[in-house]
Amino acid sequence: MEEVLKIDQVAKQFGRQTVLNDVNITLHRGDIYGLIGRNGAGKTTILKSIIKLIQPTKGTITLFGVTKGSNYIHQLRRTGSIIESPVAVDQLTARQNLIYYSKIHGVVDSNAVDDTLKFVGLDTTGKKKFKDFSLGMKQKMGLAIALLNKPDFLILDEPINGLDPIAIVEFRELLLKLNRTQQMTILISSHILDELYQLATRFGILNNGTIVKEITKQEFEEQSREFIKLEVDNPDLATNVLRKIGCSNFKVINDHRINIYQLDIANAKIASSLIENQVQLSTITREGLNLEQYFKQLIDGMGGEQDV
Amino acid sequence: MFNMIRGDFYRLKHSKGFYITEFILIALVLSSVLTGTLGTIGARSDSIEEFQQAGGAWNAVKATKLMTSMCSFLIYLILPLFIMTTGFEFSRRSYKNPLSSGMTRLNYYLSKYSVFIVIVLLQVILYYGTVYVVTGIKNGFGIFTLNFGIKMAQAILLQLLLLLAIFSVSILVLFITFSTISAVVTTIIFPLLVNILHMIFIKVAWLKYFDFQGTIDSAYFTHLSTQNLEFYILAACGTIVVCGLLSTYIFNQKNL
């Protein structure tokens, strides 16, 4: 599959402060990569380095197979981005802003402006000027400007911050539509991890300028899948009882704990069977990790994967 | 570059500020030529006084000559358009849009500079065009001699060059500070500062060549020797080149 972006051992220092430290990320065509990190972790610095608003101190960034020089800048024509906050001309309407940027970008497709406005849902804003737009509308405007020259790769920095729940869903659906219909590659950073989970196919967790974990959505789901946690006095006896009631998918974690991954047996039935067979049951709960908990555990260094 | 000019003029066309600025320019010209009075920002030379008082109503040729001494007002009527097309790009950080989609920083600088040159040209054309047409309709056009045409062309070219030099300093400040206010203050303060320095260091002869604002107003009526003219042109071109190189160098080094 075509490699869209390869970040190789990239580091960035501002004075004595190291903001990025040997970051490696690879994106293939059609990926939706979620960049997760706390404030100041280096997310925006990575995104700015890709679009050359910042020059890395060390390392290489390869975009569509090109690493440096004017060819790299040329490849940026295949990207669209919203970095930090969406910006457009305050005094112009949505349509006028797109006409303005289409002139600057030299967009020749006469339908591009109307098609893009319709796609992002700003085709009915009429004479309302950008300065009077709500935050959600401004984000859509930023997306429209980014999409104007039909990019293959979209870079979005915290695009759903401050949006209301309906605007978040609309924005997510727009991005998924772009990914599904045009195989658009998307690199997105966000604090809203539940939302990012619904969008991304891969995640990179950034802490203090270092990618501390890369995980696919599938791997995450396997590691964080729901299970029933049992705490018992006699795991050997308990496993025999579980087998008798038709439960085969479980794992003995330690001397007291068993995780059951077969969720079609009611907790009440498990509990009563164990008690009837003289197993002392101290805990029976249904557990699982969402992305936020996973991120927190990883960053806090409180067990991470082992506890999942 | 051409795309940026098209884009920025589209932006100006849809901005109230553009029409207000042009209205003020035309109103300023009309108030002068219809009342037959001149306003200046600095001192006025004796030759202008003599010429103005040399009888007769202002016909188009006379008015055009006299209005060369008010041309430095254009600094304040170029400033709003400069802010609208370039200043806001920095104060609102909208430079990110073109720079993140395949425009090099050098190309961005040159594009913005070319937009600025076109703005200066248009303001100068509107200024002298209004003077000539309005006084021509009111009091007749006068005799347009070849000598007048050549001298006016020389004066206007020098004025254009000096206007570009003044704003080169403003552009440099804008590219260093990303602050529209700093650029505006520089545009207003720089010519005054040079004037003050020239008055303090009266023996430093070369300082007068950097009095761009004063030279704009006296471009037609001051009889410059060829050598003096060369020095004025060299000072203006030098300022444009040095500020341009510094602007692009600093802009290229910046983390945006």
Side-chain angles (χ1 to χ4, degrees):
Chain A
M1 197 178 283
E2 185 193 357
E3 198 174 87
V4 172
L5 175 75
K6 187 175 172 65
I7 297 178
D8 188 22
Q9 298 289 306
V10 162
K12 176 69 187 174
Q13 282 186 303
F14 290 111
R16 288 182 182 175
Q17 192 192 1
T18 302
V19 181
L20 295 180
N21 192 14
D22 293 340
V23 170
N24 297 297
I25 297 173
T26 303
L27 264 75
H28 294 99
R29 186 175 156 82
D31 278 352
I32 304 181
Y33 191 98
L35 203 53
I36 304 168
R38 301 170 72 178
N39 284 334
K43 301 186 297 293
T44 303
T45 308
I46 291 180
L47 304 185
K48 283 185 169 184
S49 299
I50 298 167
I51 56 172
K52 292 290 176 199
L53 292 182
I54 279 178
Q55 196 60 41
T57 315
K58 198 190 94 180
T60 56
I61 300 177
T62 307
L63 184 68
F64 297 108
V66 179
T67 301
K68 54 187 173 181
S70 57
N71 268 348
Y72 186 98
I73 302 290
H74 191 75
Q75 292 304 319
L76 284 175
R77 291 180 189 172
R78 294 176 66 187
T79 70
S81 59
I82 309 178
I83 302 294
E84 287 167 333
S85 53
V87 279
V89 182
D90 278 350
Q91 307 302 325
L92 300 184
T93 65
R95 193 165 194 282
Q96 287 168 346
N97 258 301
L98 281 198
I99 293 173
Y100 168 66
Y101 281 108
S102 68
K103 286 180 189 291
I104 285 182
H105 294 324
V107 176
V108 286
D109 179 4
S110 57
N111 297 320
V113 168
D114 290 326
D115 289 349
T116 312
L117 277 177
K118 201 171 175 182
F119 182 81
V120 299
L122 287 178
D123 53 331
T124 55
T125 54
K127 291 182 177 174
K128 198 170 191 172
K129 291 177 176 170
F130 181 74
K131 64 178 179 181
D132 300 320
F133 279 12
S134 67
L135 187 58
M137 289 166 79
K138 284 185 174 174
Q139 292 287 13
K140 284 182 179 176
M141 189 74 240
L143 184 64
I145 293 168
L147 294 176
L148 199 56
N149 53 347
K150 296 189 170 32
D152 297 314
F153 179 29
L154 200 54
I155 301 166
L156 306 170
D157 185 19
E158 311 275 0
I160 47 182
N161 271 12
L163 297 190
D164 64 55
I166 293 171
I168 286 177
V169 174
E170 283 177 0
F171 203 81
R172 184 210 312 152
E173 284 170 358
L174 282 177
L175 297 182
L176 287 171
K177 194 171 160 189
L178 285 168
N179 179 254
R180 283 173 192 152
T181 57
Q182 298 173 32
Q183 274 279 292
M184 196 177 285
T185 311
I186 301 172
L187 174 58
I188 178 170
S189 76
S190 181
H191 284 130
I192 305 169
L193 302 189
D194 286 343
E195 188 53 37
L196 201 59
Y197 177 72
Q198 295 189 57
L199 191 63
T201 51
R202 273 203 304 146
F203 307 96
I205 297 175
L206 192 66
N207 190 36
N208 293 329
T210 306
I211 295 279
V212 290
K213 181 80 181 170
E214 266 193 315
I215 188 167
T216 66
K217 190 171 187 176
Q218 197 180 352
E219 286 166 348
F220 173 74
E221 281 172 347
E222 280 167 13
Q223 290 184 26
S224 64
R225 62 183 167 163
E226 271 198 295
F227 58 91
I228 297 164
K229 184 173 103 177
L230 297 181
E231 284 190 359
V232 294
D233 64 336
N234 187 343
D236 289 340
L237 182 56
T239 52
N240 286 333
V241 174
L242 290 174
R243 284 194 192 95
K244 274 184 200 167
I245 61 172
C247 178
S248 56
N249 190 3
F250 58 82
K251 189 174 180 182
V252 178
I253 305 295
N254 58 33
D255 288 348
H256 298 287
R257 190 171 148 189
I258 301 170
N259 287 351
I260 300 172
Y261 299 104
Q262 192 175 328
L263 302 177
D264 58 346
I265 304 170
N267 283 13
K269 188 179 177 185
I270 296 169
S272 60
S273 303
L274 289 170
I275 292 163
E276 277 168 18
N277 289 281
Q278 313 302 314
V279 177
Q280 275 190 22
L281 176 67
S282 54
T283 302
I284 177 164
T285 53
R286 191 173 276 224
E287 291 198 349
L289 277 183
N290 63 23
L291 192 57
E292 200 169 289
Q293 290 162 331
Y294 181 80
F295 170 68
K296 194 171 180 307
Q297 282 194 6
L298 196 67
I299 297 301
D300 289 349
M302 291 167 63
E305 290 177 347
Q306 290 170 354
D307 281 349
V308 174
Chain B
M1 205 177 290
F2 181 66
N3 287 340
M4 186 70 90
I5 294 172
R6 281 176 61 221
D8 274 342
F9 275 88
Y10 177 83
R11 181 206 286 218
L12 286 179
K13 213 173 78 182
H14 289 85
S15 156
K16 275 183 199 158
F18 172 70
Y19 294 102
I20 292 169
T21 307
E22 300 311 78
F23 173 78
I24 293 171
L25 191 156
I26 291 167
L28 180 81
V29 169
L30 289 181
S31 66
S32 268
V33 297
L34 295 179
T35 59
T37 51
L38 288 173
T40 55
I41 293 161
R44 196 188 297 176
S45 73
D46 293 341
S47 51
I48 300 173
E49 296 281 359
E50 283 166 23
F51 184 78
Q52 191 180 357
Q53 284 160 15
W58 285 22
N59 60 29
V61 168
K62 185 179 178 181
T64 309
K65 286 178 188 173
L66 282 168
M67 288 296 281
T68 56
S69 67
M70 268 179 68
C71 190
S72 66
F73 273 106
L74 281 182
I75 295 170
Y76 309 102
L77 295 164
I78 289 167
L79 199 51
L81 308 187
F82 167 65
I83 297 304
M84 276 182 253
T85 52
T86 309
F88 286 163
E89 290 267 312
F90 287 90
S91 59
R92 288 166 196 169
R93 295 181 174 265
S94 52
Y95 55 75
K96 285 186 290 186
N97 287 335
L99 290 180
S100 62
S101 52
M103 185 179 272
T104 62
R105 294 189 191 193
L106 178 64
N107 194 358
Y108 179 81
Y109 174 83
L110 292 175
S111 298
K112 281 293 169 191
Y113 202 81
S114 58
V115 168
F116 173 68
I117 290 173
V118 176
I119 286 173
V120 174
L121 267 173
L122 285 181
Q123 292 297 75
V124 168
I125 289 168
L126 183 66
Y127 177 79
Y128 283 114
T130 309
V131 170
Y132 192 80
V133 171
V134 170
T135 45
I137 291 167
K138 188 173 174 258
N139 299 325
F141 287 91
I143 300 161
F144 195 110
T145 61
L146 181 65
N147 190 38
F148 163 72
I150 291 169
K151 205 171 172 201
M152 266 314 292
Q154 284 172 343
I156 289 172
L157 282 174
L158 183 62
Q159 286 174 330
L160 277 171
L161 192 67
L162 297 168
L163 283 169
L164 291 177
I166 290 172
F167 277 93
S168 291
V169 182
S170 315
I171 290 171
L172 172 63
V173 171
L174 185 66
F175 274 70
I176 291 172
T177 63
F178 283 19
S179 159
T180 306
I181 294 168
S182 303
V184 170
V185 169
T186 304
T187 313
I188 296 164
I189 297 291
F190 172 72
L192 298 175
L193 190 71
V194 173
N195 243 327
I196 292 165
L197 286 175
H198 186 40
M199 282 191 279
I200 296 170
F201 304 106
I202 202 142
K203 288 182 181 171
V204 185
W206 55 265
L207 262 175
K208 71 176 177 191
Y209 300 116
F210 290 89
D211 177 14
F212 299 136
Q213 187 167 341
T215 314
I216 287 173
D217 285 342
S218 58
Y220 187 89
F221 287 97
T222 304
H223 299 286
L224 298 170
S225 67
T226 311
Q227 193 189 29
N228 258 342
L229 185 64
E230 278 173 4
F231 283 141
Y232 277 109
I233 291 171
L234 266 176
C237 289
T239 304
I240 292 168
V241 171
V242 170
C243 289
L245 290 174
L246 277 175
S247 300
T248 47
Y249 176 75
I250 291 165
F251 191 45
N252 265 322
Q253 302 301 313
K254 275 210 169 196
N255 290 316
L256 302 175

